[in-house]
Amino acid sequence: MKKKYLKTNKGYTIIETMIAISLFLVVVMVGMGALLSANLVHQKSESMRDAVDSLSFILEDVSRNLRTGYHYHCVDDGNFKASALIISRSCESGGGGIAFEYQDGSPGDDNDQWAYKIESPDGIEPFNIYKSIDSGQTWVQLNPPEVTIDPSSLFEVIGAEPPDEDGGGNHEQPFVTIRLIGKITFKNVETPFSLQTSVSQRIIDI
């Protein structure tokens, strides 16, 4: 007598299915974590690039206008009165602001001096860099909110005073060193920066 064997189709057991699903979820979670991390790094890079571009624009704006301007006045005493800004003044130890006659300005007009200053609205950090085109009557903030300027940033000015009529006095070409120090903040992560550039007045005064 022949024995009959029944053929049965074996499927996955519940345990095998659970193990497969668990492994799949682990792979998905690891992949999602890597994707989110890469996205965060990309966002940070974009924000850092935007902030650095803003700083480059600020330095370029200050440098270009100073280079074509004249009658530099270093402000190291906080005095931005129009009557003071028209007087050429050096400060080798640096100051928190600088004013000058714009290239298209009128030397006889006391209210058309351009100026830059590093200041805090309330006297405490954060500090910002501001620009004025009307002898300090109105100011516009140049740096974006995520960029804060350190109070140690400054403008160093040498050779601003013109030579004496008898040939004595200052014989240096006006020269400005701009130093910007601060930090860029993105999602509570702070990245410090330190930038410096130097500018010489284009108009010869020696």
Side-chain angles (χ1 to χ4, degrees):
M1 184 176 179
K2 295 181 179 180
K3 294 184 179 180
K4 296 181 179 180
Y5 295 94
L6 297 177
K7 293 183 179 180
T8 58
N9 295 325
K10 294 184 178 180
Y12 292 107
T13 64
I14 294 177
I15 294 177
E16 291 173 334
T17 303
M18 291 179 64
I19 292 174
I21 293 174
S22 299
L23 290 174
F24 174 75
L25 290 176
V26 169
V27 172
V28 170
M29 292 298 294
V30 172
M32 286 296 294
L35 182 62
L36 292 174
S37 178
N39 184 55
L40 181 62
V41 170
H42 175 71
Q43 290 181 356
K44 182 179 179 181
S45 299
E46 287 290 322
S47 298
M48 286 290 294
R49 187 175 66 179
D50 291 342
V52 171
D53 287 345
S54 297
L55 288 169
S56 298
F57 172 78
I58 292 171
L59 275 179
E60 177 63 24
D61 181 72
V62 178
S63 301
R64 181 178 63 253
N65 292 323
L66 281 172
R67 188 177 296 111
T68 56
Y70 54 99
H71 290 334
Y72 297 164
H73 176 93
C74 179
V75 181
D76 57 356
D77 55 2
N79 183 9
F80 279 94
K81 292 182 179 180
S83 57
L85 300 183
I86 61 173
I87 303 172
S88 299
R89 185 167 184 262
S90 300
C91 61
E92 295 186 11
S93 58
I98 187 171
F100 57 96
E101 188 70 59
Y102 182 58
Q103 59 177 339
D104 296 328
S106 173
D109 187 354
D110 295 354
N111 297 310
D112 68 343
Q113 304 297 109
W114 283 35
Y116 295 93
K117 69 176 179 179
I118 299 167
E119 189 178 74
S120 172
D122 53 7
I124 57 176
E125 292 192 27
F127 279 63
N128 301 302
I129 182 167
Y130 299 90
K131 177 181 180 179
S132 173
I133 60 174
D134 55 8
S135 295
Q137 298 179 55
T138 58
W139 296 90
V140 175
Q141 181 178 325
L142 297 181
N143 57 295
E146 61 269 18
V147 175
T148 54
I149 309 298
D150 192 271
S152 59
S153 302
L154 47 79
F155 301 90
E156 296 177 358
V157 183
I158 60 174
E161 295 80 7
D164 297 337
E165 294 182 358
D166 58 0
N170 170 56
H171 286 278
E172 292 182 290
Q173 180 70 1
F175 190 81
V176 181
T177 299
I178 308 158
R179 188 175 303 152
L180 290 181
I181 303 170
K183 59 187 177 183
I184 302 170
T185 304
F186 176 74
K187 291 187 180 298
N188 297 323
V189 177
E190 297 180 351
T191 304
F193 67 85
S194 180
L195 303 174
Q196 179 174 310
T197 188
S198 297
V199 179
S200 178
Q201 178 180 295
R202 181 175 296 174
I203 301 175
I204 303 298
D205 80 334
I206 55 177

